[in-house]
């Protein structure tokens, strides 16, 4: 342990890191350690360039930008979908970049949740991000179904993680569709998506995964696993920028279903400008689009995704695991006795891209971290998320963060702050 506790050891890991050249491609504030890439990824020079190039095409072409230039706007959402496909293990036609996470879940449920006879329920869990639950409840109400009765939320045994057996036990013949996260936003637990999909299909149930915390951090094989649907945001691990356009996957076996929420961008691209009042639907995942794409909020993704394409998600995952493993080793050794509980799974198969610490004083410990130029992420009531990101963080920063945390605890630096969260935290 003594060897691993040294700064030299961290620096050695950085020298051996074959993704280290990417850090220079990001805008990193001097003297600041950014460990919040799982909430909002940092701006890269490539993302900035692709945004500027989108503005340039507007400048040069005006309306003709829809079909002219290196990246004609009319096909941009499809192009970005193709670039996301390797990150989730899907065919290019199964992926489209559109909407927001919340809107895409609404679209999936509007299109594929068809309560019939006994099968009227939606299965979710009690740990998912609130927006998913709000969307599900409102979709039930649209169908005239009472969420109290028709939304089933699988309970967590420990308040942090879900047991796949409990989820499978809840897959009754009353369930029409399942919505779960691929990686839980608090504990970072990875659910066994393959096993859950298989169990759902054996029971005649459709399954959708929210990949907000897994895309860009963890590899997926959605086609091989035969997952029905997935949706995700692109501003976390994909570094697309605040409010960047989200993504959606539809298994090709579901192609041909009319979108629940249709619009003219649901059209077959060759027919869209015929301006008919009868929709000629796109033959692929593109059908899930509604209106004109938010091109300025999609543009940074082109540059950002090129880094993922180059580095490869397997390599990114490998480094991410190495960083979180190193961080856990240091936390065990240095922060023992200060009242922290490590609430993320330790096992590699189950561990996502961030470390989740719980502490009674979490809110003000986060404020003290910020005062020390470390950017963490507070999750009410008592959670601290720390995400060392493979493309731009270093092992030395991991070492520094643990050292700073220890100093904050030893000197009780957190006590000068109120133990309350800010409006956004
Ligand atoms: C970040 C996140 C969202 C955010 O949804 P938006 O529509 O982008 O605001 C939804 N679900 C999960 C699991 C998330 O982590």
């Amino acid at each position: 342990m003594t060897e691993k506790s040294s700064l030299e050891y961290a620096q050695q890991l950085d020298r051996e890191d074959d993704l280290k050249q990417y850090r220079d491609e990001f805008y990193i504030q001097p003297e600041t350690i950014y460990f919040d890439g799982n909430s909002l990824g940092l701006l890269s020079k490539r993302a900035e360039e692709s945004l500027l190039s989108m503005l340039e095409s507007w400048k040069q072409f005006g309306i003709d930008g829809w079909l002219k230039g290196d990246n004609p706007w009319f096909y941009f959402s499809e192009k970005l979908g193709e670039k996301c496909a390797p990150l989730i293990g899907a065919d290019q036609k199964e992926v489209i970049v559109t909407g927001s996470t919340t809107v895409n879940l609404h679209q999936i449920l509007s299109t594929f949740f068809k309560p019939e006879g006994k099968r009227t329920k939606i299965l979710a869990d009690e740990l998912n991000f609130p927006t998913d639950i709000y969307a599900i409840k409102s979709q039930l109400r649209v169908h005239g179904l009472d969420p109290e009765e028709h939304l089933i939320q699988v309970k967590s045994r420990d308040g942090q993680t879900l047991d796949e057996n409990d989820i499978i036990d809840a897959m009754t013949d009353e369930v029409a569709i399942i919505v779960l996260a691929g990686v839980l936003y608090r504990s970072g637990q990875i659910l066994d998506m393959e096993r859950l999909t298989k169990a759902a299909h054996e029971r005649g149930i459709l399954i959708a995964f929210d990949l907000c915390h897994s895309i860009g951090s963890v590899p997926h094989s959605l086609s091989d696993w035969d997952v029905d649907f997935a949706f995700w945001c692109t501003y976390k691990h994909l570094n697309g920028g605040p409010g960047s356009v989200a993504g959606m996957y539809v298994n090709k076996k579901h192609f041909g279903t009319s979108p629940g929420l249709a619009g003219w961008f649901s059209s077959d691209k060759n027919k869209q400008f015929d301006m008919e009042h009868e929709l000629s639907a796109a033959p692929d995942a593109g059908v899930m689009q509604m209106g004109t794409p938010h091109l300025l909020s999609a543009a940074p993704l082109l540059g950002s995704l090129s880094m993922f394409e180059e580095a490869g998600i397997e390599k990114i995952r490998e480094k991410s695991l190495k960083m979180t493993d190193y961080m856990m080793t240091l936390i065990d050794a240095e922060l023992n006795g200060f009242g922290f509980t490590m609430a993320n799974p330790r096992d590699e198969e189950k561990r996502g891209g961030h470390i989740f610490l719980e502490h009674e004083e979490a809110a003000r410990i986060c404020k003290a971290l910020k005062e020390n130029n470390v950017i963490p992420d507070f999750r009410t009531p008592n959670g601290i998320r720390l995400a060392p990101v493979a493309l731009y963080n270093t092992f030395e920063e991991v070492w520094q963060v643990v050292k700073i945390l220890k100093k904050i605890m030893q000197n009780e630096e957190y006590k000068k702050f109120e133990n309350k969260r800010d409006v956004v935290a």
Side-chain angles (χ1 to χ4, degrees):
M1 186 55 229
T2 39
E3 187 223 352
K4 286 192 175 178
S5 286
S6 72
L7 176 60
E8 290 67 33
Y9 182 77
Q11 290 168 337
Q12 180 60 31
L13 292 176
D14 282 327
R15 277 193 294 274
E16 291 163 4
D17 169 18
D18 39 349
L19 295 180
K20 59 175 172 287
Q21 71 274 23
Y22 290 102
R23 179 174 168 87
D24 285 341
E25 299 212 30
F26 285 86
Y27 287 99
I28 293 168
Q29 292 303 305
E31 313 296 319
T32 300
I33 301 180
Y34 193 79
F35 264 28
D36 203 5
N38 63 329
S39 249
L40 180 73
L42 289 179
L43 173 64
S44 65
K45 291 168 190 166
R46 293 196 209 188
E48 180 181 50
E49 270 165 33
S50 58
L51 173 58
L52 291 175
S53 135
M54 178 64 74
L55 287 172
E56 188 58 35
S57 68
W58 178 21
K59 209 186 273 178
Q60 270 188 33
F61 303 120
I63 187 75
D64 286 336
W66 284 102
L67 293 175
K68 279 197 170 161
D70 292 341
N71 295 296
W73 309 335
F74 195 51
Y75 302 103
F76 199 63
S77 310
E78 286 76 10
K79 178 167 186 166
L80 291 177
E82 289 171 12
K83 301 224 171 271
C84 286
L87 297 176
I88 57 167
D91 292 352
Q92 294 183 341
K93 295 277 175 211
E94 293 177 312
V95 191
I96 189 74
V97 164
T98 187
S100 69
T101 316
T102 309
V103 167
N104 293 352
L105 174 54
H106 272 293
Q107 176 67 301
I108 287 167
L109 291 175
S110 303
T111 308
F112 296 104
F113 172 54
K114 294 177 174 158
E116 242 181 67
K118 229 174 125 180
R119 270 195 204 278
T120 57
K121 297 192 178 173
I122 299 179
L123 178 61
D125 66 271
E126 67 166 0
L127 299 180
N128 204 345
F129 199 86
T131 203
D132 295 48
I133 301 301
Y134 302 162
I136 293 169
K137 286 185 180 176
S138 68
Q139 285 287 331
L140 286 166
R141 285 190 203 102
V142 166
H143 284 279
L145 300 167
D146 181 0
E148 287 287 321
E149 189 189 336
H150 296 271
L151 168 61
I152 307 166
Q153 286 184 270
V154 176
K155 294 242 177 307
S156 164
R157 296 182 188 203
D158 58 6
Q160 300 296 353
T161 58
L162 296 168
D163 187 323
E164 280 89 356
N165 293 312
D166 294 340
I167 301 173
I168 293 169
D169 286 345
M171 295 180 187
T172 67
D173 58 3
E174 294 180 336
V175 176
I177 190 166
I178 302 169
V179 180
L180 297 166
V183 165
L184 302 190
Y185 79 101
R186 292 174 67 88
S187 67
Q189 178 195 4
I190 304 179
L191 289 183
D192 187 339
M193 292 176 251
E194 181 174 19
R195 179 177 170 212
L196 292 167
T197 302
K198 189 160 178 281
H201 289 171
E202 281 165 5
R203 291 159 182 78
I205 306 171
L206 297 170
I207 190 159
F209 286 101
D210 178 334
L211 306 183
C212 279
H213 276 280
S214 57
I215 193 160
S217 166
V218 175
H220 309 73
S221 307
L222 297 192
S223 290
D224 284 351
W225 302 337
D226 203 26
V227 167
D228 293 289
F229 321 106
F231 54 103
W232 56 88
C233 63
T234 58
Y235 49 77
K236 292 172 181 163
H237 287 283
L238 292 186
N239 312 317
S244 56
V245 180
M248 187 162 20
Y249 151 90
V250 178
N251 188 312
K252 54 184 165 304
K253 70 185 175 193
H254 297 297
F255 288 178
T257 309
S258 296
L261 305 170
W264 72 317
F265 270 80
S266 320
S267 297
D268 179 331
K269 295 208 119 40
N270 295 318
K271 306 267 177 65
Q272 184 169 341
F273 277 83
D274 292 351
M275 308 307 258
E276 300 287 347
H277 279 190
E278 201 54 52
L279 170 69
S280 299
D284 47 33
V287 77
M288 304 295 266
Q289 298 172 89
M290 292 177 231
T292 304
H294 302 166
L295 290 154
L296 295 179
S297 299
L301 273 172
L302 188 65
S304 180
L305 288 171
S306 73
M307 265 184 265
F308 287 85
E309 201 173 347
E310 225 176 77
I313 187 66
E314 299 292 339
K315 272 252 161 75
I316 289 171
R317 171 65 170 160
E318 199 183 304
K319 178 174 172 191
S320 164
L321 278 173
K322 208 167 162 186
M323 291 183 114
T324 46
D325 182 61
Y326 177 55
M327 189 156 190
M328 292 192 303
T329 307
L330 291 180
I331 290 171
D332 287 344
E334 305 291 330
L335 297 181
N336 203 1
F338 287 116
F340 290 101
T341 310
M342 194 178 292
N344 54 275
R346 285 174 179 262
D347 174 13
E348 290 208 346
E349 300 261 288
K350 295 266 149 213
R351 189 168 87 240
H354 64 263
I355 295 296
F356 189 57
L357 295 177
E358 289 198 313
H359 196 286
E360 271 175 32
E361 308 282 0
R364 48 185 180 168
I365 292 172
C366 283
K367 289 178 190 172
L369 278 169
K370 284 197 171 178
E371 196 193 42
N372 281 276
N373 294 328
V374 175
I375 314 299
D377 195 38
F378 173 68
R379 279 295 167 256
T380 198
N382 61 351
I384 306 171
R385 289 194 306 195
L386 296 166
V389 172
L391 283 180
Y392 53 78
N393 288 123
T394 63
F395 289 92
E396 181 168 342
E397 287 179 312
V398 171
W399 185 88
Q400 293 283 4
V401 166
V402 176
K403 200 178 118 185
I404 291 168
L405 256 180
K406 186 173 181 177
K407 176 183 76 108
I408 289 169
M409 300 317 291
Q410 271 174 339
N411 302 341
E412 300 188 335
E413 284 179 32
Y414 57 89
K415 286 201 170 157
K416 65 179 174 194
F417 302 98
E418 237 193 318
N419 198 30
K420 249 178 76 182
R421 71 175 168 86
D422 292 331
V423 177
V424 175

